[in-house]
Amino acid sequence: LPTIDAVISKSAPAFPVSKIARIDLAILRLAVYELLIAKKNPPKVIIDEAVELAKEFGGDTSGSFINGVLGTVLTRKESHGDKNN
């Protein structure tokens, strides 16, 4: 969890983990785990599913927030040669 939260913090520096809505944080944690640790599905599928969850269960801006954070996570992952950011 500390590793996943560190990735989220680096990818959304304007939003401290403690201030992110609980449901958004849960979705982000799950998606970051799937992107960086489990790696069982294509990254685009993971992001799309996370955005859909955010739209269904989060607030009005949750979908775009989740999409932005996970897009940054994916970009950082790709630019660092698939390391855990």
Side-chain angles (χ1 to χ4, degrees):
L1 190 60
T3 301
I4 291 170
D5 284 353
V7 171
I8 294 169
S9 292
K10 288 178 188 175
S11 299
F15 299 92
V17 171
S18 63
K19 300 295 182 190
I20 297 173
R22 303 289 286 164
I23 189 67
D24 293 353
L25 183 57
I27 294 167
L28 282 171
R29 285 174 170 164
L30 175 62
V32 169
Y33 170 80
E34 289 182 359
L35 282 170
L36 302 180
I37 298 167
K39 302 179 186 178
K40 292 182 181 178
N41 295 305
K44 300 294 183 185
V45 172
I46 294 167
I47 293 172
D48 287 346
E49 291 296 323
V51 169
E52 288 304 314
L53 285 171
K55 287 179 181 177
E56 180 72 24
F57 298 106
D60 292 339
T61 60
S62 293
S64 59
F65 175 69
I66 298 286
N67 189 51
V69 175
L70 294 178
T72 302
V73 170
L74 183 59
T75 301
R76 292 173 60 88
K77 174 186 171 194
E78 291 170 350
S79 70
H80 287 98
D82 203 33
K83 293 179 185 171
N84 283 357
N85 296 4

